[in-house]
Amino acid sequence: MDFGLVLQTDPPAAAVVELMRRAEEAGFSHGWTFDSAVLWQEPFVIHSQILARTRRLTVGPMVTNPGTRTWEVTASTFATLNEMFGDRTVCGIGRGDSAMRVAGRKPNTLARLGEAVGVIRDLAEGREATVDGTRVRLPWVREGSRLPVWMAAYGPKALALAGRVADGFILQLADPFLTEWMVKAVRAAAAEAGRDPAAVTVCVAAPAYVGDDLAHAREQCRWFGGMVGNHVADLVARYGEGSGLVPEALTAYIKEREGYDYRHHGRAGNPDTAFVPDEIVDRFCLLGPPEAHVAKLRRLRELGVDQFAVYAMHDAKEAVVEAYGAHVIPALTP
């Protein structure tokens, strides 16, 4: 199993770069950042510095979207980083939550997202693609350059799209029951599209907090249930409660959800996430001593998870990197 570290690009940017450097030393293979230009600093500028300060770390956004940048700009940015540092990027992409909504826009449609996945990958790898009706190619991209595109998804249509078009699937929760259900859906769609289901990388991303004080850990990670709840609310609005198309284990907890202020997005102590019960925090996140993390991650690995990406948005960022490097990563890597 691979391991990633996910950070928000809060200033000072140098602190983000330094923690990513330490994560590589601890055994993490991937460094991810949020991508919401209004709420945080521009991630791709910081990615260049992370790549310059590390030797092996693969970096990318978790996640970008097809709406805040034109597709040729996104592709050119990735291709430039790959030319400078040698194919050490991955494009995590989704419909867009905070990046779109905080600027007063709606998330992108799945049709637009699916088209963007192919266009961004083709352009970044040197092939011609159509952007807004015009055939475009980046002539300077070196032959053989590679950009994997991993798609974030929850609902049945998005999961099917990920299976059809994406190189990887990002699931932002760590509940084994829901992971099994969603991984099966992605792989079934890949098989139906004539693809090798095993070729779709599966990345589970969730907060991890190492320690014996579960009450404190839950309060530090409760924000995550609220963030996931934004996507779940979209699913309920689209498919209806009790439709059978989305597991009740994912939708039931948002009944008490009232509103969401993106100024607190992804923050410990988010006042808009009081509706999230302890049970959901425990199911969606990894909490407790190192051995509890190892046990849950082994279960996720059995379900086909290739990478666990640690959301470190709490008061123990450095401590979780150190604990994973010392106890968790060695137990789950050859």
Side-chain angles (χ1 to χ4, degrees):
M1 178 179 275
D2 288 335
F3 289 85
L5 177 66
V6 190
L7 299 176
Q8 293 168 333
T9 50
D10 288 317
V16 177
V17 175
E18 174 59 19
L19 190 52
M20 288 294 190
R21 186 193 66 77
R22 290 172 58 183
E24 182 185 61
E25 290 183 347
F28 288 79
S29 63
H30 286 66
W32 302 92
T33 67
F34 278 30
D35 178 15
S36 188
V38 173
L39 297 175
W40 299 288
Q41 293 180 317
E42 170 57 35
F44 290 107
V45 176
I46 297 171
H47 290 174
S48 69
Q49 293 299 305
I50 295 170
L51 288 164
R53 293 284 304 279
T54 57
R55 293 174 295 161
R56 301 175 305 279
L57 205 69
T58 295
V59 305
M62 189 173 281
V63 292
T64 193
N65 71 86
T68 52
R69 299 177 182 83
T70 60
W71 302 349
E72 74 275 15
V73 170
T74 298
S76 181
T77 301
F78 279 109
T80 300
L81 292 172
N82 282 342
E83 189 279 326
M84 293 174 69
F85 300 103
D87 287 3
R88 290 169 54 202
T89 66
V90 56
C91 177
I93 194 168
R95 294 177 60 229
D97 179 28
S98 62
M100 298 295 287
R101 287 180 164 126
V102 78
R105 305 184 186 103
K106 293 182 179 180
N108 297 271
T109 64
L110 286 176
R112 180 174 171 82
L113 174 58
E115 185 182 359
V117 167
V119 169
I120 291 168
R121 181 171 52 216
D122 282 345
L123 291 176
E125 294 183 350
R127 294 182 293 276
E128 189 177 74
T130 300
V131 180
D132 295 330
T134 300
R135 297 297 289 175
V136 177
R137 187 174 73 86
L138 306 180
W140 49 267
V141 175
R142 60 180 171 78
E143 184 176 354
S145 186
R146 175 101 170 96
L147 177 66
V149 181
W150 297 5
M151 183 183 145
Y154 290 108
K157 291 182 179 179
L159 294 169
L161 179 62
R164 291 195 304 269
V165 306
D167 300 298
F169 161 49
I170 296 172
L171 173 58
Q172 292 167 310
L173 55 81
D175 175 65
F177 173 79
L178 291 169
T179 298
E180 182 175 19
W181 186 86
M182 294 184 184
V183 169
K184 284 182 178 178
V186 170
R187 288 183 168 162
E192 289 172 8
R195 307 178 67 199
D196 178 4
V200 181
T201 302
V202 177
C203 173
V204 160
Y209 200 103
V210 180
D212 295 323
D213 188 344
L214 287 180
H216 180 73
R218 287 177 181 134
E219 291 311 309
Q220 287 293 305
C221 298
R222 197 174 304 278
W223 64 267
F224 184 66
M227 187 186 84
V228 173
N230 293 332
H231 302 286
V232 175
D234 284 346
L235 295 178
V236 170
R238 185 175 300 115
Y239 298 107
E241 188 175 349
S243 65
L245 296 174
V246 182
E248 186 179 357
L250 181 61
T251 62
Y253 83 98
I254 68 163
K255 291 179 180 178
E256 303 300 321
R257 180 180 181 271
E258 294 182 354
Y260 195 85
D261 186 340
Y262 279 91
R263 290 177 299 175
H264 309 295
H265 188 60
R267 306 287 190 188
N270 184 334
D272 297 322
T273 60
F275 71 93
V276 179
D278 287 351
E279 177 194 3
I280 288 294
V281 182
D282 293 347
R283 290 181 63 172
F284 285 9
C285 305
L286 276 79
L287 312 175
E291 53 268 26
H293 293 243
V294 171
K296 190 168 187 177
L297 288 168
R298 283 180 174 151
R299 175 65 179 135
L300 292 171
R301 185 173 62 181
E302 291 171 358
L303 297 173
V305 175
D306 300 294
Q307 180 182 147
F308 176 59
V310 175
Y311 274 113
M313 292 87 187
H314 47 55
D315 63 2
K317 296 180 180 67
E318 295 81 3
V320 75
V321 169
E322 292 174 2
Y324 264 64
H327 305 290
V328 179
I329 294 176
L332 288 148
T333 54

